[in-house]
Amino acid sequence: MARIPGQYYPVLAQGHERTAPRDAPKPCVVRRHQLDEITRIIVYTVCAGACIPLGGVLAKYERLRPSWLENEFRHSVIAFGGGILAAAVALVLIPEGTEYLDHSLSSTFFFLFGGIVFFALERFLGLQRREKPQFTAMLLDYIPESLALGGALAAGSRAAPLLALFIGLQNIPEGFNAYRELKAAKQPDASRILLLMLMLVPIGPVIGILGWVYLGDRLALLGASMLFASGGILYLIFQDIAPQSHMRRHWAPPLGAVLGFSVGMLGNNLAGMY
């Protein structure tokens, strides 16, 4: 069980009974703190995960005419999601992960390892003819980010709410594009696609609580998880997201990436003010 920040853990001398100082938190207070932390994790991860089917619903009812405008809008949404992912990597995951590892050289190893593992997963899916770039990217970054979020909350990181915000913001365009991708691939009807997306929502709380339990008092492992996720996400940005956002003789999609990163910068600046 992860340690609670600020909780007293007495060291027992041989032959002495356990004695707690007068100002030690009572068991009921500790349990209440734990429940509050678990509640925060559930609320953060459910809200972030709910943005996946929200993006799918927007894609279901969004129709723009003429067709070139709809095409450009879709590519801009892809780029916007990539910009937010880049902001999450550059402003939260890498700085926090490197700090938890005391800026050691191993941080580079875990970052590189994450990129290699995500490459291997995509390669495996490609050989199985099951590649769905947008859906795969959405799922692959949602799981490690939820794990890092739970660990960050247990460690008392001030960046945890910002990370939750990033996860939710990026899940909207990822859900939007994943729905379009599955629909274009002649997958089941719209209601089944949205049901599949709804089934992904509970994954966040489960993974987040696992991170809270196992990573809160293991800061080196938490940092390694953040950097692993960073390497994988950066691979997905350049392998799947950036190429799909490009359109010849159209300049709006790259601006969507800049806008997405700007949203991340704004959130980071606001978090630093409080």
Side-chain angles (χ1 to χ4, degrees), residues 10-72:
V11 179
L12 300 181
Q14 186 174 2
H16 291 274
E17 296 182 357
R18 181 187 297 270
T19 57
R22 293 180 180 179
D23 59 345
K26 297 180 180 179
C28 62
V29 176
V30 174
R31 285 194 294 270
R32 186 181 305 166
H33 180 80
Q34 291 175 333
L35 288 175
D36 289 343
E37 286 289 307
I38 292 175
T39 301
R40 288 180 64 194
I41 294 172
I42 293 174
V43 170
Y44 283 169
T45 51
V46 167
C47 289
C51 292
I52 295 175
L54 174 60
V57 170
L58 293 175
K60 178 181 178 181
Y61 293 106
E62 178 272 332
R63 290 292 182 271
L64 295 176
R65 292 293 182 268
S67 57
W68 68 265
L69 182 58
E70 183 172 350
N71 226 6
E72 187 159 351

Side-chain angles (χ1 to χ4, degrees), residues 172-188:
I172 295 176
E174 286 185 338
F176 182 97
N177 293 309
Y179 177 92
R180 287 293 189 89
E181 179 181 70
L182 292 174
K183 195 68 176 174
K186 298 182 180 179
Q187 294 296 313

Side-chain angles (χ1 to χ4, degrees), residues 24 32 49 75 115 142 145 156 170 181 196 240:
R32 186 181 305 166
H75 284 75
Y142 179 48
E145 283 183 338
Q170 76 195 36
E181 179 181 70
L196 173 63
D240 297 326

